[in-house]
Amino acid sequence: SQELEQSPQSLIVQEGKNLTINCTSSKTLYGLYWYKQKYGEGLIFLMMLQKGGEEKSHEKITAKLDEKKQQSSLHITASQPSHAGIYLCGADGAIKAAGNKLTFGGGTRVLVKP
Amino acid sequence: DGGITQSPKYLFRKEGQNVTLSCEQNLNHDAMYWYRQDPGQGLRLIYYSQIVNDFQKGDIAEGYSVSREKKESFPLTVTSAQKNPTAFYLCASSRQGYSNQPQHFGDGTRLSIL
């Protein structure tokens, strides 16, 4: 089965500073999803990456998938308190018949200090 | 507005009792999923369903049961056989038959033992 490792597990960043979260897979990623979760709430979909070398941005958040499709990074520029939360990466199974099951990483807890 | 509704938000279970968590979606999605999240960890798949009257076990199905009698509804029963049920439960849905469609999540149900 596919395993996803996220790093770091947690980080504290000063408001206005940049931060990067990594998601590494033991197998080729066919679809990589980034979600954000506030404590005690559901997951909010951020972005999806499919192609090697792909990069997407939304507001101050940029996600990239490396050429080998085994690692993704999420970068937040000039962090704000609203960026605090838990960020999770999720990956599609390689077999489409598996019904879009996602495997998730352990999450990265982000705290932004004002 | 379309979305996924989970109820109740908080649930308490007594020893030997079965409890049922509700999940309803009005997104017209074919596929629905149940995940379990433990403190400081990512999500683990319990059950998923790609179509009405059909469902498949996920990675941690023991002690849980589901039904899918209607497209909109995918209730999860936590049985007395589940010895460690305390967790945050998340329901999700997605379109089926399309490549790499993101899953949309409800706000979760927190289950605790009395």
Side-chain angles (χ1 to χ4, degrees), chain B residues 28-41:
Chain B
N28 199 32
H29 286 168
D30 288 303
M32 296 187 74
Y33 314 81
W34 275 106
Y35 292 92
R36 169 181 171 139
Q37 186 178 33
D38 291 283
Q41 298 188 29

Side-chain angles (χ1 to χ4, degrees), chain A residues 46-106:
Chain A
L46 295 175
M47 277 173 275
M48 179 191 74
L49 304 165
Q50 287 180 259
K51 302 175 184 175
E54 187 175 9
E55 179 175 320
K56 288 186 177 178
S57 293
H58 177 66
E59 297 180 345
K60 294 186 178 182
I61 301 176
T62 300
K64 300 178 185 179
L65 183 61
D66 74 340
E67 288 289 345
K68 291 185 178 179
K69 295 174 65 175
Q70 284 192 284
Q71 184 168 30
S72 178
S73 62
L74 186 82
H75 184 79
I76 298 177
T77 304
S79 59
Q80 299 170 353
S82 61
H83 289 126
I86 302 169
Y87 290 82
L88 296 113
C89 61
D92 257 328
I95 303 172
K96 280 305 159 191
N100 198 35
K101 291 195 303 178
L102 293 184
T103 299
F104 283 89

Side-chain angles (χ1 to χ4, degrees), chain B residues 2 11 14 22 26 33 39-41 52 56 73 92 94 96 100 109:
Chain B
L11 188 57
K14 295 180 181 178
S22 171
N26 60 4
Y33 314 81
Q41 298 188 29
V52 174
Q56 309 293 330
S73 178
S94 68
Q96 194 69 6
N100 299 324
T109 293

Side-chain angles (χ1 to χ4, degrees), chain B residues 33-34 46-49 54-57 64-69 74-77:
Chain B
Y33 314 81
W34 275 106
I46 304 173
Y47 269 99
Y48 67 104
S49 168
D54 186 50
F55 47 83
Q56 309 293 330
K57 291 183 179 180
Y64 299 97
S65 65
V66 293
S67 63
R68 187 86 188 277
E69 297 177 2
F74 191 40
L76 173 75
T77 296

